[in-house]
Amino acid sequence: MTKRNTQQRRHTIISLLNEDGEVSVDELALRFDTSEVTIRKDLSALEKTGLLLRRYGGAVSVPREMTQATTEVISANKQSIAKAAARLIKDHNRIIIDSGSTTSGLVQELGRKRGLVVMTNALQLASAIHELEYEPTLLMTGGTWDPHSESFQGQVAEQVLRSYNFDQLFIGADGIDIERGTTTFNELTGLSKVMAEVSREVIVMLESDKIGRRIPNLELPWSDISVIVTDDKLPDEAAEKISEQGVRVIVAPYSS
């Protein structure tokens, strides 16, 4: 069975799940004229990407509260930032994409990249990555579902991350404290720190109006950050101060 046939079969399984809410191994084996062992491998692979949950004799859809994450359209400005950030990714890179509305735009820019290995902690991102033409090797952190960030967090996720090493981490931020680094409203910062720890390069993606926000929770200090990708409304003075921290600043054209 070719890889393409395997991918097509798995896409069909997800479509059937979306229609019926559940599938059984024996029915799928008959439908695709293949062995139950092959179907179990399909379901196992799809479960690892967060697209379904295994049950005895088959699988069920992921509960809506876990997949009903933000459905807002990514703004043109965030997509412009994502496009600039994607230029930093080379074929065959091993990358982490953290959950978030700005980082989610990055997936749309990966369509022509080959041989990527992509880790994420967000179900929606995993689903979008799974649909890419040159399907990357997709990894998920697993862990405890956090409805606030709509992502997996916690010790299990941290342990999974520490089992790998990556070329790049792409992560957003609620704000930038010019003196300290990235800040967040979310008190769960442990996973972000581990993501940075296992990545050679940390790229923060955010809109310029978030720079200067002094939010209490420090997420990543400047010493952990390699690159800031933002829009060209970033004030020159702020760009200079960030550069003085040893961080490269990339600006994308602002899009309203």
Side-chain angles (χ1 to χ4, degrees), residues 78-195:
K78 289 180 178 180
Q79 198 61 52
S80 178
I81 292 168
K83 190 181 293 292
R87 296 191 187 103
L88 300 172
I89 302 172
K90 298 178 181 178
D91 288 351
H92 307 289
N93 271 15
R94 300 166 60 86
I95 68 174
I96 305 172
I97 305 178
D98 190 23
S99 61
S101 59
T102 305
T103 51
S104 63
L106 191 63
V107 176
Q108 299 180 31
E109 306 299 332
L110 300 182
R112 308 303 295 180
K113 307 284 185 181
R114 295 176 179 267
L116 296 180
V117 175
V118 184
M119 170 76 83
T120 186
N121 60 335
L123 287 173
Q124 278 204 330
L125 287 182
S127 181
I129 292 164
H130 185 66
E131 298 296 326
L132 292 174
E133 179 179 357
Y134 296 113
E135 188 177 340
T137 298
L138 177 59
L139 306 172
M140 282 207 72
T141 62
T144 302
W145 181 253
D146 172 41
H148 175 76
S149 63
E150 294 172 334
S151 64
F152 290 107
Q153 302 285 336
Q155 292 185 358
V156 170
E158 292 171 16
Q159 290 170 4
V160 170
L161 279 164
R162 288 195 173 103
S163 301
Y164 299 89
N165 57 77
F166 296 89
D167 297 302
Q168 295 163 308
L169 161 64
F170 292 87
I171 188 169
D174 293 321
I176 291 280
D177 183 324
I178 295 293
E179 304 300 326
R180 299 191 300 160
T182 64
T183 55
T184 179
F185 294 109
N186 194 343
E187 294 183 357
L188 299 176
T189 60
L191 191 66
S192 300
K193 296 179 189 301
V194 175
M195 286 179 172

Side-chain angles (χ1 to χ4, degrees), residues 2-244:
T2 67
K3 180 179 179 181
R4 181 162 184 81
N5 286 341
T6 299
Q7 291 174 347
Q8 289 175 337
R9 186 177 63 248
R10 291 176 182 176
H11 284 310
T12 302
I13 290 172
I14 294 302
S15 296
L16 291 170
L17 262 179
N18 290 338
E19 291 173 7
D20 302 330
E22 61 181 332
V23 292
S24 68
V25 171
D26 54 354
E27 290 175 353
L28 291 174
L30 285 171
R31 181 185 183 95
F32 296 109
D33 191 23
T34 189
S35 70
E36 293 188 1
V37 171
T38 296
I39 295 300
R40 290 192 185 95
K41 287 180 179 179
D42 289 338
L43 299 182
S44 179
L46 291 168
E47 184 178 49
K48 288 178 181 177
T49 65
L51 296 175
L52 54 76
L53 295 176
R54 295 286 301 279
R55 289 291 183 268
Y56 181 77
V60 296
S61 300
V62 177
R64 286 188 64 191
E65 62 268 22
M66 296 177 68
T67 58
Q68 201 176 357
T70 307
T71 56
E72 63 179 339
V73 176
I74 299 168
S75 72
N77 196 43
K78 289 180 178 180
Q79 198 61 52
S80 178
I81 292 168
K83 190 181 293 292
R87 296 191 187 103
L88 300 172
I89 302 172
K90 298 178 181 178
D91 288 351
H92 307 289
N93 271 15
R94 300 166 60 86
I95 68 174
I96 305 172
I97 305 178
D98 190 23
S99 61
S101 59
T102 305
T103 51
S104 63
L106 191 63
V107 176
Q108 299 180 31
E109 306 299 332
L110 300 182
R112 308 303 295 180
K113 307 284 185 181
R114 295 176 179 267
L116 296 180
V117 175
V118 184
M119 170 76 83
T120 186
N121 60 335
L123 287 173
Q124 278 204 330
L125 287 182
S127 181
I129 292 164
H130 185 66
E131 298 296 326
L132 292 174
E133 179 179 357
Y134 296 113
E135 188 177 340
T137 298
L138 177 59
L139 306 172
M140 282 207 72
T141 62
T144 302
W145 181 253
D146 172 41
H148 175 76
S149 63
E150 294 172 334
S151 64
F152 290 107
Q153 302 285 336
Q155 292 185 358
V156 170
E158 292 171 16
Q159 290 170 4
V160 170
L161 279 164
R162 288 195 173 103
S163 301
Y164 299 89
N165 57 77
F166 296 89
D167 297 302
Q168 295 163 308
L169 161 64
F170 292 87
I171 188 169
D174 293 321
I176 291 280
D177 183 324
I178 295 293
E179 304 300 326
R180 299 191 300 160
T182 64
T183 55
T184 179
F185 294 109
N186 194 343
E187 294 183 357
L188 299 176
T189 60
L191 191 66
S192 300
K193 296 179 189 301
V194 175
M195 286 179 172
E197 174 188 317
V198 300
S199 303
R200 289 192 303 105
E201 186 178 39
V202 176
I203 297 99
V204 176
M205 303 165 56
L206 82 169
E207 294 178 284
S208 62
D209 61 4
K210 293 183 177 181
I211 295 175
R213 286 186 181 180
R214 301 179 69 88
I215 300 167
N217 299 318
L218 178 68
E219 188 164 27
L220 295 178
W222 288 122
S223 57
D224 287 349
I225 300 169
S226 312
V227 181
I228 291 283
V229 184
T230 186
D231 59 70
D232 59 13
K233 287 195 173 184
L234 175 70
D236 292 340
E237 181 182 359
E240 288 177 13
K241 288 185 177 180
I242 293 172
S243 296
E244 287 171 1

